Amino acid sequence: MPRPLIGITTYVEESTRYGVWDVPASLVPTGYHELVQAAGGAAVLLPPDEPGSAAEVLGRLDGLVVAGGPDVDPVRYGAERHPRTGPPATVRDEWELALIEAALASGKPVLGICRGMQALNVALGGTLIQHIDGHALAPGVMSWHPVRPVAGTRYAALVPEEAEVPTYHHQAVDRLGRGLIASAHAVDGTVEAIELPGSAHWVLGVQWHPERDKDTRVMSSLIEAASLTPAVRV
């Protein structure tokens, strides 16, 4: 059996230096594709595209990972911009929200990581807390803290124990989107994982960065779900 093909969203950095070049580049940290591969999947990087092409792209994939990154524009959930909210990433918001909607409509497994979890919540009509303290250290430095699973959830079945996870964010889920439930919390009550309950559709978001701690349990579950409903590729 071929490995499930998992798309990972990327983002554009306008100034990216490598070798003698300093040019715009579509990129994502290597930990994402390494985690997909370690869990038994084949990784495909998805640069930003026209939102109308999302269903076509998803049709060729077996699953979707929405990567971490900058703040989701609060206009997407009808909120005024907080002074600590970052500048809008309009192209990325449009593309990733379209991919999430296409994945939900087609029944493809989807995993949101950090910003990806927040985007999943927003795609389903939820809102975000635009600033919290204590979940990030200095710029570019991961914070580690315990996450407690909620009994009876998919996440708890995958990771039944309290786990120390690497985290780097200043926003969090506020009102849950349609059908979503919280499946893990930090000690301070911050929602750390969300999911659509039931076995019919594999949809999960985590607020931390599993690509940084190399725990493959969540990603392996995504790969398993993707293998059950493979795309038809010609």
Side-chain angles (χ1 to χ4, degrees):
M1 291 288 291
R3 292 178 295 165
L5 194 60
I6 308 300
I8 305 169
T9 62
T10 72
Y11 48 92
V12 174
E13 289 289 348
E14 292 300 325
S15 179
T16 306
R17 186 165 186 83
Y18 59 97
V20 299
W21 304 106
D22 188 355
V23 295
S26 295
L27 53 84
V28 71
T30 59
Y32 286 93
H33 73 254
E34 290 172 347
L35 185 63
V36 168
Q37 293 162 349
V44 176
L45 303 186
L46 305 178
D49 202 343
E50 292 297 324
S53 69
E56 174 196 357
V57 170
L58 260 295
R60 302 180 183 187
L61 300 173
D62 302 313
L64 173 67
V65 174
V66 185
D71 298 337
V72 177
D73 192 339
V75 73
R76 302 287 173 181
Y77 48 94
E80 295 292 327
R81 182 175 298 277
H82 187 281
R84 299 285 292 274
T85 295
T90 303
V91 171
R92 187 170 184 185
D93 284 349
E94 290 176 347
W95 175 233
E96 292 186 346
L97 290 172
L99 284 171
I100 291 168
E101 290 167 3
L104 295 173
S106 64
K108 296 290 177 70
V110 55
L111 171 62
I113 294 176
C114 196
R115 167 196 160 90
M117 172 175 128
Q118 296 167 3
L120 172 61
N121 191 57
V122 169
L124 286 167
T127 63
L128 303 178
I129 301 169
Q130 292 190 52
H131 182 72
I132 59 173
D133 290 312
H135 289 255
L137 299 176
V141 179
M142 285 282 172
S143 172
W144 289 73
H145 65 72
V147 166
R148 297 171 176 171
V150 175
T153 61
R154 173 180 284 116
Y155 173 72
L158 299 173
V159 185
E161 76 281 2
E162 180 175 289
E164 288 278 332
V165 299
T167 183
Y168 187 81
H169 65 99
H170 81 113
Q171 298 197 331
V173 164
D174 187 10
R175 187 185 72 244
L176 287 164
R178 294 182 302 276
L180 291 168
I181 62 170
S183 48
H185 294 91
V187 174
D188 66 3
T190 300
V191 175
E192 290 285 336
I194 59 176
E195 63 186 64
L196 286 179
S199 59
H201 194 178
W202 200 103
V203 177
L204 181 64
V206 296
Q207 187 56 69
W208 64 92
H209 286 270
E211 82 282 2
R212 298 297 293 267
D213 69 3
K214 309 304 183 183
D215 187 333
T216 63
R217 286 178 287 183
V218 170
M219 187 64 76
S220 293
S221 181
L222 170 76
I223 301 301
E224 180 182 4
S227 71
L228 298 177
T229 55
V232 177
R233 287 184 284 272
V234 295

